[in-house]
Amino acid sequence: MEILMNFTTSPDDLTRYRDSEDLHTFFRNLGCSGLELMPIGTDTRNLIQPAMITGIHANCFSDWMDTDPEYLVRHYRKDLEYARQVHAKYVVFHVTQVSYSEALTCRPVHTDQEVVQAAARLINALLEHQDYDFWFLMENLWWPGLNFQDPEITKYLLDEVRYEKKGFMLDTGHFMNTNPELRTSDDAVACLHSMLDRHKDILPFIKGLHLNQSLSGSYMKAYMKSPSLPPEDPDLLFCQAFEHIFRIDQHLPFTDPGVSGLLKRICPKYVTLEYITKNRQEHEEYLREGLKWVLPRNKKTGK
């Protein structure tokens, strides 16, 4: 099992480190073996060395089903080719569909089945007749698409994708967002085990975990009593939607003794401690807290 840190090529992440050695020392000293990288900008300082990169998180569109398929293939091929160049072991791909308006009104236009069918066609167009050798890991969200609510839909997606090294990236926080009744990390562990009980057939295909916690059910239940109307101004719509999304999707450390049991049951190849943080100090604090439950020896020795 490889333990990784999420990272991006945005200035917010890059400017936290003096140089490549500083970045490498940071994640290695904490207990991470590499990075899951989302390449969303240009690393002009060459801070990120290919040897640091274990996985690539594709830059995924949330609202894409009415987009020209050829454009989508060109867009995603950039990240897939980058993954090939740096010899990444896996690529993460979101399987979801939601517009900003749908996110705000909580009224999806498409069903899970419709999204999964369209996503399978797109994924096959991306991967067929290519010589990629990385794992292609499909990630769940809480919107229509892959959300692990219906085992039949999950199995359908797996069967439809024609690529040998296919699997799933289970995002624990995203799954928690599907259940607004959750209030504690213990509730979340039990809910995840219940989902795994229903998905026993696909357990071997969960190759990776985005390990984080999102217990935003109280917020969502209050929000649903009076959902926001989408503003007509596209800039205001964007800002309002993302403020709402970040309140739902918290990306906090998953701090529960039951995490070790989930890891033992799933046996993932890759575990990415995926957090959203304000600065380097907060990121370090989150990683130390999360690693206590991934590496129990840290809790006992303090090392």
Side-chain angles (χ1 to χ4, degrees):
M1 183 175 76
E2 298 189 50
I3 301 169
L4 312 170
M5 180 181 91
N6 71 301
F7 201 66
T8 75
T9 52
S10 71
D12 182 62
D13 280 348
L14 294 174
T15 55
R16 297 180 184 186
Y17 302 93
R18 295 186 302 275
D19 51 31
S20 183
E21 183 178 356
D22 186 29
L23 172 60
H24 185 258
T25 301
F26 176 82
F27 68 76
R28 291 292 296 188
N29 284 353
L30 286 168
C32 298
S33 62
L35 303 176
E36 180 183 297
L37 179 71
M38 181 180 285
I40 60 177
T42 303
D43 178 13
T44 57
R45 297 163 57 204
N46 295 318
L47 199 75
I48 303 162
Q49 301 300 312
M52 298 178 182
I53 302 170
T54 302
I56 293 294
H57 194 311
N59 290 275
C60 295
F61 293 115
S62 294
D63 184 10
W64 59 273
M65 284 180 61
D66 293 327
T67 303
D68 174 31
E70 293 185 3
Y71 171 80
L72 291 171
V73 169
R74 290 195 301 271
H75 169 82
Y76 285 113
R77 281 272 169 82
K78 293 177 184 177
D79 288 344
L80 300 186
E81 288 303 318
Y82 181 68
R84 188 212 301 269
Q85 291 170 16
V86 299
H87 304 289
K89 296 180 181 179
Y90 70 87
V91 168
V92 180
F93 185 90
H94 285 171
V95 179
T96 195
Q97 160 64 38
V98 67
S99 67
Y100 296 146
S101 294
E102 290 172 83
L104 286 173
T105 61
C106 302
R107 294 179 181 176
V109 173
H110 299 280
T111 66
D112 292 342
Q113 185 69 30
E114 289 169 344
V115 176
V116 163
Q117 287 174 337
R121 290 193 295 269
L122 173 59
I123 292 167
N124 286 331
L126 282 171
L127 301 178
E128 285 185 328
H129 311 302
Q130 305 298 313
D131 59 350
Y132 301 133
D133 62 358
F134 45 68
W135 285 97
F136 189 83
L137 304 183
M138 297 169 285
E139 181 181 352
N140 61 297
L141 280 95
W142 63 98
W143 290 308
L146 175 64
N147 49 40
F148 293 120
Q149 296 299 290
D150 185 338
E152 293 300 320
I153 291 177
T154 309
K155 184 66 163 52
Y156 174 88
L157 174 62
L158 189 65
D159 290 343
E160 286 296 301
V161 171
R162 298 186 293 272
Y163 182 73
E164 183 177 357
K165 295 181 71 173
K166 59 187 174 182
F168 298 109
M169 175 65 74
L170 169 59
D171 189 300
T172 55
H174 289 171
F175 182 74
M176 293 176 205
N177 293 338
T178 66
N179 186 346
E181 301 301 326
L182 300 180
R183 293 293 178 272
T184 68
S185 60
D186 188 56
D187 292 341
V189 169
C191 189
L192 280 157
H193 275 297
S194 178
M195 180 273 289
L196 295 174
D197 289 343
R198 301 191 305 274
H199 283 81
K200 288 180 181 178
D201 291 345
I202 62 93
L203 271 177
F205 291 92
I206 301 178
K207 302 298 182 181
L209 288 182
H210 280 172
L211 197 62
N212 60 82
Q213 179 174 291
S214 183
L215 296 171
S216 56
S218 295
Y219 165 74
M220 273 307 295
K221 292 193 81 169
Y223 179 86
M224 288 298 293
K225 292 178 181 178
S226 182
S228 299
L229 293 175
E232 293 184 4
D233 185 302
D235 292 332
L236 288 177
L237 176 62
F238 173 85
C239 293
Q240 193 170 324
F242 268 86
E243 180 181 353
H244 174 57
I245 290 166
F246 285 133
R247 292 194 69 179
I248 299 171
D249 199 22
Q250 298 170 330
H251 282 92
L252 297 171
F254 195 177
T255 55
D256 191 279
V259 168
S260 60
L262 288 168
L263 294 175
K264 184 176 181 180
R265 181 174 186 182
I266 297 170
C267 295
K269 294 172 69 69
Y270 312 106
V271 175
T272 299
L273 300 165
E274 189 183 53
Y275 306 133
I276 296 175
T277 55
K278 295 188 290 290
N279 51 50
R280 174 171 172 165
Q281 180 180 354
E282 184 176 68
H283 198 187
E284 180 174 349
E285 291 171 358
Y286 280 19
L287 286 165
R288 289 190 185 280
E289 188 65 22
L291 282 164
K292 289 179 183 178
W293 312 101
V294 177
L295 298 174
R297 66 178 181 274
N298 287 8
K299 187 177 181 182
K300 295 177 182 178
T301 67
K303 296 181 180 179

